[in-house]
Amino acid sequence: MEHIHILMVDDHPIIIEGYQNTLMATKKEHQTLIIDTANNCDTANILLRKAADERPYDVCFFDISLPASSDGTITSGEDLAKICRALMPTTKVVILTMFNESFRIHGIVKEINPDGFLIKSDLTSLELSEAFQHILFDPPYYSSTVSSFLKKAISNDEYVDEINRKILYLLSQGIKTRSLTDHIDLSMSAIEKRKKQLKSLFKVEDGRDETLIMKAKEKGLV
């Protein structure tokens, strides 16, 4: 019997329940699934660190848009995926998200290089079960929208990296631009340049930080 340890992280319990039911109903006869769940970054972080000390997960599913950790250092499923990679290098990392903009997909692939990348609007029970088995034995598995975007060329500066996401998060928490250098190891001119690039990428025509944050929230970046 093969015991497969899984972590599922999503802020909607009913979605996790659906994932669980699908995998349990479609697993192979020789497979036993042991599934932990988390609805926020704090709980997921605790489970990841506990597993790293005891028995690493075989597969971790991370939704991108999650409530930030209480100390603000972990703001998304992307951050959790990086923690997982650092603590448990052999664990298969699967990203699930509603967001399907090209720059978002390319950014996640570049930053995380996930073993599985599924857009929720592509997902059916059949595809989830097929993706799970594929990821276990022959990763990566990318759903159709992801594969389509990855076939198209995109410039290297058209994705939102970890620093840009931190800038967006800090601005969303009310931190003024002049104080960002206290939290990010960049010069003010470098931060201003990044903000300008973000406003261009998100088509912020009025130039206001408030509009930038609104657009970032719409895209699940904060």
Side-chain angles (χ1 to χ4, degrees):
M1 186 64 68
E2 179 186 11
H3 291 77
I4 303 170
H5 292 248
I6 300 167
L7 174 63
M8 292 183 172
V9 186
D10 195 295
D11 59 342
H12 294 95
I14 195 167
I15 290 179
I16 287 183
E17 186 177 334
Y19 295 158
Q20 284 180 294
N21 291 342
T22 295
L23 295 188
M24 293 299 284
T26 59
K27 68 181 179 64
K28 307 297 184 185
E29 286 187 9
H30 67 280
Q31 293 175 333
T32 297
L33 307 187
I34 300 139
I35 303 175
D36 291 337
T37 66
N39 303 125
N40 56 62
C41 289
D42 277 325
T43 304
N45 186 38
I46 290 169
L47 289 171
L48 287 170
R49 294 181 185 282
K50 184 171 183 286
D53 289 337
E54 297 175 2
R55 202 280 189 191
Y57 289 113
D58 296 296
V59 186
C60 290
F61 292 84
F62 297 110
D63 184 23
I64 287 298
S65 184
L66 295 166
S69 61
S70 54
D71 63 3
T73 59
I74 309 171
T75 63
S76 68
E78 286 169 270
D79 290 341
L80 288 171
K82 290 176 184 176
I83 291 170
C84 180
R85 284 273 192 244
L87 293 175
M88 296 174 284
T90 62
T91 298
K92 305 291 196 306
V93 170
V94 185
I95 299 295
L96 300 109
T97 182
M98 288 294 295
F99 303 105
N100 60 4
E101 291 93 347
S102 178
F103 79 88
R104 199 79 169 89
I105 288 172
H106 280 265
I108 290 168
V109 169
K110 184 161 183 152
E111 294 277 312
I112 298 168
N113 190 26
D115 300 283
F117 196 163
L118 307 170
I119 304 298
K120 290 182 180 180
S121 58
D122 291 343
L123 209 54
T124 63
S125 295
L126 178 61
E127 179 163 29
L128 178 60
S129 63
E130 288 180 352
F132 177 64
Q133 297 298 331
H134 192 102
I135 289 160
L136 279 177
F137 303 108
D138 188 25
Y141 182 98
Y142 293 165
S143 65
S144 57
T145 298
V146 177
S147 296
S148 175
F149 278 128
L150 291 179
K151 288 174 184 174
K152 299 173 184 175
I154 188 168
S155 63
N156 288 333
D157 60 354
E158 199 177 330
Y159 77 96
V160 181
D161 63 12
E162 185 174 1
I163 294 173
N164 283 346
R165 287 194 296 110
K166 188 168 184 180
I167 289 171
L168 291 169
Y169 175 74
L170 291 169
L171 290 172
S172 76
Q173 297 301 299
I175 304 296
K176 301 297 184 186
T177 298
R178 63 178 177 272
S179 301
L180 290 178
T181 51
D182 296 336
H183 304 271
I184 298 172
D185 189 22
L186 288 176
S187 66
M188 183 54 64
S189 62
I191 289 173
E192 290 286 6
K193 182 179 179 181
R194 283 175 171 269
K195 280 180 58 181
K196 185 176 179 181
Q197 289 171 338
L198 286 167
K199 287 175 181 177
S200 174
L201 181 60
F202 296 163
K203 297 179 173 58
V204 177
E205 295 176 359
D206 62 12
R208 298 172 67 242
D209 287 356
E210 292 81 2
T211 307
L212 174 61
I213 295 308
M214 181 186 72
K215 297 267 191 179
K217 286 180 177 178
E218 289 173 358
K219 297 178 185 301
L221 288 163
V222 291

